[in-house]
Amino acid sequence: MTSRDTIFTRLGRYGYFAVGGAIFFALLFAFVFVRGGYLLTVMQLAMIYGVFCIGLNFFMGYTGQASFGQNAFAALGGYGTAVLCVQFGWEPVFALIASMAIAGIASVIVGYPTLRLRGHYLAMATFALGLITYDISVQWTSVTQGYMGYSGIPPLGIGPFTIEDERMKLVCLMVILLFGLWVSGRLRNSRFGRALRAISTSELGAAALGINVARYKLAAFVIAALYASASGSLFAHVVGFISPEVFGLQMVVVTFTMLYVGGVGTVLGPAVGAIIASLLPEIVRSTGRFQDIAYALALIVMLIYVPKGLSALGGLGRSRVAEPGAGS
Amino acid sequence: MPSLIEVEGLSASYGHVAALKPVDLRVEEGEFVTVLGPNGAGKTTLLRAISRLVASQGRVSFKGQNISGLSTHRLAKLGIIMVQEGRGLFGEMTVYENLLLGAYNLGSEIEKVEGRFEQVFGLFPRLRERASQVAASMSGGEQQMLAVGRALMAGPKLLMLDEPSLGLAPKVAAEILDTLGELNRNGLGILLVEQKAPLALKLARRVYVLSSGSVRAELPANEIKSHHDLARYYFH
């Protein structure tokens, strides 16, 4: 057997898909990096949304709960970092970390009573949370500057080192996204992650094995809030401007689309979905005034033919035997 | 010596419908007790009420300690483990992951977890062969083995099973019940809810007959000789 045969045999269909996907995204990233311009901004935003979606995936994918209000924590992150940097002159990195801490504490306070609800009730409660935060960001003008938004937010950096070059911003965001994915993957296959996935299948079944369902749901909610806050802060530092609209209802719709296109409950799905759903409007832009229709059609086709998301494509036709060592 | 578990006046209802009228029941240390009864007798509700999977009233003691107010996950930590009707497996997870979840309460005590794996694989060698297989893709019998195996991973003091033979071929059902018998001989307290009386009566020391949410009879298993005896209690 040649070494080539050995590698191909070991890879299998799923391996081919993984390697192919990695090469595709590496080439895409290189193309965007070299070409620059508007695509660079699109990719930067995709990375930021990707971070948000990784968190959303913790709560919706791994734990199987519905939340339409994670944008509230992105707003906390965005405004937190803006106020701390612009008003108090904090270093961006410390402002980002502090905003995440604030969002984490807020998510515990909000999540404790809210997560007693289930299903549609939980979805509606979290939706209300997003709406309330939006209203606060509009009305509390002394802090948020209302519809005018917050400008002059410094780029990411620490001390004399700031990341002002757009290409370096993209590289920095990609590193953060990959780190977020790594953490997500590690947690998913840990004791903690298995408990979350058990809750996703059956809350009663999980409780019957000794899992404290309420505590784990809260933990997943907090983790989702931390990721959301980080993405809000990153948006503020990368774009330099935030307004209530950035964290409004549009964000909920866009991130849901990304999560389902990429694959809810999978490790890579949030990143894949964020990149594909961000680039798709650019791809269909050539259809002119039909671009919205083309975009919607493309999404519908994806959801019909790949209902488990693009990152689950490699599993099509695969035997139902898990990868060796999975879940260890 | 206090009973392993003692239930006094346990009742539960779904809305306005009383599924379980005040019931008294006990299982001694190392005892095999079976609850028999027709469809809708309240057998499943009884186990779910003990596990606090449904809201219930009444007193439940475990080794003399009142555990009435404890939540489901705390009961599991005490060693009161239930294998639910329909197995309650996490279908998208592998056999290995399901078993690991069974040992959830052991945390990171790796040696203990490995010991439990060996015990379960010793009882059900097929689970070792299928360790990396997704649970939902296994046969009904294998799934039931996994459900029992997962419960054993938790190191139960009292194992409660809700109709483990449901939907299984007679030979497979007998195989699983034989394993339960073996576990009981090794000192494990078992409370079995079953409709297939002949299978259950072979193993049990005592039997409770449940009908319309109430205990109709409590008697030694060897006193029930035929279906006719049971029917007498069902329609008492």
Side-chain angles (χ1 to χ4, degrees), chain B residues 31-236:
Chain B
E31 195 182 21
F32 197 127
V33 173
T34 292
V35 179
L36 296 172
N39 261 338
K43 305 186 296 296
T44 296
T45 305
L46 170 66
L47 293 195
R48 291 169 71 91
I50 294 172
S51 299
R52 298 283 295 170
L53 289 170
V54 294
S56 57
Q57 293 79 45
R59 182 186 164 89
V60 183
S61 313
F62 182 68
K63 295 182 175 179
Q65 181 195 348
N66 183 6
I67 54 165
S68 309
L70 295 187
S71 55
T72 304
H73 72 271
R74 288 198 184 281
L75 293 176
K77 282 186 177 145
L78 285 176
I80 300 172
I81 302 293
M82 178 179 171
V83 176
Q84 297 184 58
E85 186 182 353
R87 293 142 204 157
L89 295 175
F90 305 116
E92 290 297 312
M93 293 193 204
T94 62
V95 169
Y96 177 71
E97 286 179 308
N98 267 281
L99 291 175
L100 265 181
L101 274 166
Y104 173 82
N105 282 328
L106 289 179
S108 51
E109 294 178 68
I110 294 169
E111 280 183 13
K112 271 192 177 177
V113 175
E114 283 176 351
R116 298 263 169 91
F117 265 115
E118 285 311 311
Q119 183 201 355
V120 171
F121 286 154
L123 285 168
F124 303 112
R126 240 178 292 177
L127 295 183
R128 190 196 296 271
E129 295 161 20
R130 306 242 187 272
S132 60
Q133 189 167 335
V134 172
S137 67
M138 298 201 304
S139 70
E142 288 167 343
Q143 286 190 12
Q144 193 56 264
M145 288 174 197
L146 178 56
V148 175
R150 192 180 64 181
L152 293 176
M153 289 294 290
K157 307 274 190 311
L158 172 70
L159 182 61
M160 301 193 293
L161 302 106
D162 192 358
E163 305 221 26
S165 70
L166 196 71
L168 300 183
K171 192 182 166 194
V172 179
E175 198 179 315
I176 285 169
L177 289 177
D178 281 349
T179 307
L180 294 179
E182 189 183 332
L183 290 166
N184 176 247
R185 283 191 291 280
N186 291 332
L188 179 62
I190 293 179
L191 179 59
L192 172 71
V193 155
E194 189 55 74
Q195 274 203 64
K196 291 178 183 166
L199 281 176
L201 290 171
K202 270 188 203 164
L203 300 164
R205 189 184 304 167
R206 274 187 310 118
V207 172
Y208 287 89
V209 182
L210 208 64
S211 182
S212 303
S214 301
V215 173
R216 301 291 182 193
E218 178 202 341
L219 64 170
N222 56 13
E223 282 190 15
I224 299 176
K225 306 287 184 201
S226 68
H227 281 290
H228 181 73
D229 290 342
L230 273 179
R232 189 154 50 87
Y233 292 115
Y234 285 2
F235 304 112
H236 177 62

Side-chain angles (χ1 to χ4, degrees), chain A residues 115-263:
Chain A
L115 295 176
R116 289 167 186 269
L117 302 171
R118 287 183 184 176
H120 297 79
Y121 299 100
L122 176 60
M124 292 312 293
T126 51
F127 185 62
L129 176 66
L131 292 179
I132 290 167
T133 310
Y134 176 80
D135 257 9
I136 291 172
S137 63
V138 170
Q139 301 295 336
W140 197 9
T141 50
S142 60
V143 173
T144 65
Q145 301 183 12
Y147 283 120
M148 293 284 290
Y150 228 106
S151 56
I153 304 162
L156 263 183
I158 184 164
F161 303 102
T162 53
I163 305 169
E164 297 193 35
D165 180 73
E166 294 301 320
R167 287 186 170 83
M168 288 317 292
K169 280 183 187 174
L170 180 63
V171 172
C172 176
L173 288 171
M174 191 191 68
V175 170
I176 291 170
L177 180 75
L178 290 176
F179 177 70
L181 285 173
W182 178 76
V183 171
S184 172
R186 293 282 295 185
L187 283 177
R188 184 182 186 273
N189 290 324
S190 68
R191 178 170 174 261
F192 172 75
R194 275 190 293 276
L196 293 187
R197 288 187 285 141
I199 290 168
S200 168
T201 307
S202 164
E203 288 188 22
L204 294 181
L209 293 175
I211 295 167
N212 187 337
V213 174
R215 188 181 293 173
Y216 272 81
K217 278 161 72 171
L218 184 61
F221 190 65
V222 171
I223 291 172
L226 293 177
Y227 273 95
S229 170
S231 72
S233 292
L234 288 171
F235 185 95
H237 290 302
V238 169
V239 178
F241 170 82
I242 53 168
S243 71
E245 300 305 326
V246 172
F247 309 111
L249 204 56
Q250 174 78 2
M251 186 182 210
V252 178
V253 176
V254 166
T255 50
F256 262 62
T257 307
M258 289 170 170
L259 194 55
Y260 279 89
V261 164

Side-chain angles (χ1 to χ4, degrees), chain A residues 74-88:
Chain A
L76 264 180
Y79 281 104
T81 210
V83 170
L84 288 173
C85 288
V86 176
Q87 301 285 341
F88 299 100

